[in-house]
Amino acid sequence: MASRVLVQCVRSFTQPSARVIFENITARASAVPVANQRHFSFNACSQRKALTSHTKVSSPLAQLCRQYGDLPPLTLDTIRERVLYVLKLYDKINPEKLTGASHFIKDLGLDSLDQVEIIMAMEDEFGFEIPDAEAEKLMTPQEIVQFIADKKDVYE
Amino acid sequence: MASSAAAAAARLSGAATGRVVKPIFSRDLDEAKRRVRELYRAWYREVPNAVSVFQLDITVKQGRDKVREQFQKNRLVMDPRVIDMLVIKGKMELEETINVWKQRTHVLRYFHETETPTPRDFLSKFYTGHDP
């Protein structure tokens, strides 16, 4: 993940416009030793480059880019796997009888309050609120997968 | 316009049941069921918090089963006004539990631990004797 971000930064910095900006920065930094953020990071970069000569990324430009964290992207398969995993963990559901199209109330013999509990488990798993007006219509695992894919814009 | 729609709905339901009544919150059974589900969600999320704040000696599963039991006690109610009233009382209980206005004894009163169970079968009733 971090390596992917670093590579992206290097790719953006190897473009000529960014390099020109970097040349300006080096000129300014050498001329006026002002203690601003970029000056410090440039100094630290050059020191770090001198000390650790075996870094993965060759140029010190990569040290200037920011690193963000994010979850892995959702696909329909991963959503489906997670939904079925959460359902198998629920103790009132028989894991052998669980399929993608099994209706909670008619096939699996659950209650409407059990269905509310299942939707709450999905909320906890995927990290976003599912309002009750839409939650009462989700009666099979396939519908839940479709709803989450709609909300998260996964292959529409 | 909303009031006229409500009046029309009340007239329709009144035509079915023979009596037109002013609703408390929800106009039909579906809305009342939605309120019940929202209350159940709130209670379900509150149980682990209550178990830790009141330092109860029950597991979270036992607490949630007790919540389910209290909801199942009223499962045969069909009148939206009665359901609304029960939801209001449940919300009051929830508010008192969240804000810790209750104490541990009030929360554990749901579990009926110290009450002697009333005799159900013949022999138990016989042993306890005839108390007119």
Side-chain angles (χ1 to χ4, degrees):
Chain A
M1 183 80 220
S3 57
R4 207 189 321 153
V5 171
L6 276 174
V7 165
Q8 218 169 348
C9 281
V10 167
R11 218 179 293 132
S12 68
F13 274 133
T14 47
Q15 287 165 20
S17 60
R19 190 168 282 165
V20 169
I21 296 170
F22 186 65
E23 299 298 336
N24 287 338
I25 292 168
T26 53
R28 230 186 305 135
S30 58
V32 181
V34 178
N36 59 0
Q37 194 70 15
R38 203 161 300 168
H39 178 72
F40 265 126
S41 63
F42 174 64
N43 259 351
C45 286
S46 52
Q47 280 169 14
R48 223 181 296 147
K49 175 130 174 39
L51 287 170
T52 66
S53 56
H54 57 274
T55 47
K56 245 187 254 178
V57 186
S58 55
S59 66
L61 299 168
Q63 311 279 357
L64 284 175
C65 70
R66 299 179 184 190
Q67 302 180 20
Y68 297 102
D70 199 2
L71 296 169
L74 288 175
T75 63
L76 274 177
D77 290 325
T78 58
I79 296 177
R80 198 184 151 76
E81 267 173 37
R82 283 162 78 175
V83 166
L84 288 176
Y85 184 66
V86 169
L87 286 175
K88 281 180 187 132
L89 285 176
Y90 190 49
D91 57 349
K92 288 190 195 168
I93 292 183
N94 196 2
E96 285 100 47
K97 293 210 299 194
L98 181 68
T99 67
S102 48
H103 198 271
F104 291 138
I105 297 187
K106 293 181 205 155
D107 296 334
L108 298 171
L110 297 176
D111 205 1
S112 60
L113 292 179
D114 290 327
Q115 193 255 349
V116 172
E117 282 187 23
I118 288 171
I119 298 296
M120 277 201 277
M122 295 301 152
E123 277 185 9
D124 291 335
E125 167 74 20
F126 289 97
F128 68 98
E129 284 266 334
I130 302 178
D132 195 55
E134 295 154 5
E136 62 188 2
K137 303 187 191 97
L138 303 173
M139 282 292 167
T140 69
Q142 189 54 40
E143 279 180 24
I144 296 177
V145 170
Q146 197 56 47
F147 177 80
I148 294 174
D150 289 340
K151 284 286 168 182
K152 294 281 184 180
D153 292 329
V154 178
Y155 295 149
E156 297 296 333
Chain B
M1 193 185 86
S3 62
S4 68
R11 225 177 294 125
L12 282 173
S13 62
T17 60
R19 230 186 112 197
V20 176
V21 289
K22 195 176 93 159
I24 299 184
F25 281 136
S26 41
R27 290 186 211 110
D28 52 354
L29 198 55
D30 285 332
E31 246 185 274
K33 284 189 179 172
R34 197 172 299 162
R35 282 178 210 279
V36 171
R37 278 194 287 264
E38 293 284 352
L39 183 66
Y40 183 73
R41 277 192 194 214
W43 266 112
Y44 189 89
R45 291 256 156 82
E46 176 55 25
V47 165
N49 211 20
V51 164
S52 87
V53 160
F54 292 101
Q55 294 173 354
L56 305 173
D57 293 324
I58 57 169
T59 60
V60 172
K61 180 145 187 359
Q62 279 176 305
R64 286 183 169 152
D65 287 341
K66 177 56 73 172
V67 170
R68 175 67 72 95
E69 186 190 312
Q70 299 290 354
F71 272 78
Q72 296 279 32
K73 264 204 304 195
N74 302 318
R75 71 185 182 278
L76 296 172
V77 179
M78 287 297 139
D79 190 2
R81 287 155 49 89
V82 177
I83 295 176
D84 281 341
M85 206 62 225
L86 292 169
V87 163
I88 286 169
K89 293 179 79 166
K91 278 188 188 173
M92 290 200 281
E93 300 277 326
L94 180 66
E95 188 182 6
E96 289 166 11
T97 310
I98 288 179
N99 291 324
V100 199
W101 296 339
K102 290 195 186 208
Q103 282 95 36
R104 189 187 304 167
T105 170
H106 302 108
V107 177
L108 284 179
R109 251 168 234 182
Y110 287 113
F111 288 87
H112 305 295
E113 279 171 3
T114 52
E115 296 170 9
T116 54
T118 54
R120 298 289 160 127
D121 55 332
F122 174 75
L123 265 183
S124 316
K125 287 193 222 173
F126 183 73
Y127 290 143
T128 52
H130 178 59
D131 280 327

